[in-house]
Each structure stands twice: as C-alpha cells, then as structure tokens.
Amino acid sequence: MAITAKIGDVFTLQKEVDKYRPIFYAGASGDFNPIHIDAEFGKMVGLGGAILQGLCTMAFVMQTVSEWSHDPYKVKKLKVRFAKPVLPEDTITITGRVASIDNNTAHCELIAKKQTGDEVINNAFAEVDLG
Amino acid sequence: MAVDKKFIGKKYPPVEYEVCKEKVKEYATAVGDLNPLYIDEQKAQQSRYKGLIAPPMFAVVYTKDAIAQVMFDRELALNLPMLVHGEQEYEFVGVVRPGDVIETEAYVADIYEKGDKDFVVAGGISKKKSDGSIVTRGKWTFVIRR
C-alpha cells in the first residue's frame, strides 16, 4: 500500500512509561544493566533512579513512524540521538515531520520530548519508502 | 586515556540468534507496539507478509550479543561505568520473521575524540543464515566520559 505524503506532514504518538517498563523491557531485550532495573544504583550514579533503556525509547520512535507508514518495513532507516534519560512515570510525545521527499522516499525529522518539554531523543531521522 | 584508534576495523566472530514468535510477542508487548503483524497469526496470514513478522527494532535483540563483544572487549578496555549510549542507527534491509536464524558480525566502525569525550562506534551487519541476505546494518555510538 502506497503512502501519500507531502513535505511538512506531521505525525505524533504519545507513550506512557509505567513504573515497571524498564523491567519488562529488560526481560524482553536482555538489557539488564543495573541502571535500568535498580533504582538505588541509578541514584548512586547520578541518574535520579532507574532509567528506561534508550533503545526502548527508540522503539517508541519506530512505532510512531511505522504507524504513520502503515507498514513497519517501509521504514528503511532510523537514526536517533539519546539526549536525556527517560524515567519511569514519564510521558513521552514523539513528533515526526516530513522534511523532504526524493525518489519516492520520505525523509522525516523526529523528536521525542517528555512532559516537562525536555528532549529525550533529538537529531532523529527516518527514511520511509512511499512506494 | 583515549581509546586507541588502531582498533578501528577490528572484527568479532559472528553471533547467531534464532527468532522465535514468543520472544517477538514478548518484545512487542514490552515496548507496547501491538501491531497484529507481530502477534496475531491469523491477521498476519492475511497481510502482504503472509505470516508473522518481527518488529524492525527487534534487531536490538538479535544483535545484542554480537555488540556486547565490542563493549566488553578487553583489548579496547572501554571504561564501562563512564559509558553512555549516545546514538543508534539501523538500516532495515530485509524482513525478519519468526524462524529466521540471524547471524550478526560486529566490528569497530570508528573511534574519535571530541572535547573531553571518547566516541566508539560499533557496527553490526546481520544476515539471514539461510541465504546470506542482509537484514539490518546497525551503528551504536558509545560516548565515554574521561
């Protein structure tokens, strides 16, 4: 199914990070780094608690793009920069914008912010096949 | 102490991972992306994929152990307590499905310094064992504070 897209199109998704999300994600991904599952350890190393795995936030960004594209494998490339940690009970809003289109590929710019307005992922880009 | 640039290009042994539908379901549930293509066999059967697929970002799971070799490489000797995952990039080249055996080869893509930080970029190329076709190319940028 082809996607209709034009430059400037915007799409968003909101994700709630519940208290146990880093633990679920640890089990599913195998990333059991103590900074993700041990709040005391997280505090000790100055993170303010156990933080969500960055790659889980990246999965939220991927979901945002793949829901827009209606087909996950139309997303050909995704690049993100982890700007700030996400903590349990944060609400993350991901916004994508079609920056340019060439050769039937949409180049999207993405950003993820938490409820405070702080950017948790920035300098993020996706390439989506519009064919 | 800067990370020695001589390790750029270093390759690590391939690591195999067999994708299974229960693990895919667990991953999709954990990230809260319940696309029926990942978890509902009947609906997936009726789609253009004619069966279940793994979320593209499931790459995180099948590439993990290959990349861990770079992180824990004693020669590179990365200062892990000071290391953060700065950037991540994946190119999704081929569709991955439950039942696929994926082989990932990790390598050191780049090492550089910026300010008082060291940057180590690990690369991973993942292929289907059955036909050697590439499914993903990944890049992990680790930032190490000194």
Side-chain angles (χ1 to χ4, degrees), chain A residues 2 8 14 25-26 32 53 56 60 67 72 77 84 88 96 100 108 121 124:
Chain A
Q14 199 167 319
Y25 187 83
F32 284 95
Q53 292 85 345
C56 184
F60 298 166
E67 287 188 1
K77 191 172 180 177
K84 265 209 163 102
S100 65
C108 305
I121 279 182

Side-chain angles (χ1 to χ4, degrees), chain A residues 31-110:
Chain A
D31 184 352
F32 284 95
N33 187 322
I35 61 171
H36 302 307
I37 56 168
D38 184 340
E40 278 174 35
F41 185 87
K43 280 181 193 148
M44 202 171 77
V45 296
L47 294 167
I51 64 167
L52 186 66
Q53 292 85 345
L55 292 170
C56 184
T57 317
M58 185 179 182
F60 298 166
V61 175
M62 182 56 162
Q63 184 183 356
T64 311
V65 187
S66 62
E67 287 188 1
W68 175 72
S69 72
H70 298 294
D71 183 340
Y73 281 95
K74 291 279 184 191
V75 185
K76 296 299 177 193
K77 191 172 180 177
L78 182 63
K79 184 178 180 187
V80 303
R81 177 178 171 269
F82 303 109
K84 265 209 163 102
V86 172
L87 284 140
E89 299 181 87
D90 276 343
T91 300
I92 307 301
T93 305
I94 305 102
T95 307
R97 180 181 164 277
V98 180
S100 65
I101 297 175
D102 61 58
N103 296 324
N104 225 12
T105 300
H107 301 264
C108 305
E109 296 170 350
L110 292 135

Side-chain angles (χ1 to χ4, degrees), chain B residues 8 10 23-24 64 80 89 93 98 144 146:
Chain B
I8 296 173
K10 183 177 179 181
K23 198 67 201 173
V24 165
K64 179 181 72 78
L80 294 175
E89 175 183 332
V93 185
I144 304 131
R146 287 200 205 127

Side-chain angles (χ1 to χ4, degrees), chain B residues 8 10 20 25 41 68 80-83 93 121 125 137:
Chain B
I8 296 173
K10 183 177 179 181
C20 98
K25 203 182 277 184
E41 202 133 27
L80 294 175
M82 299 304 267
L83 177 147
V93 185
V121 183
I125 297 176
R137 290 189 198 95

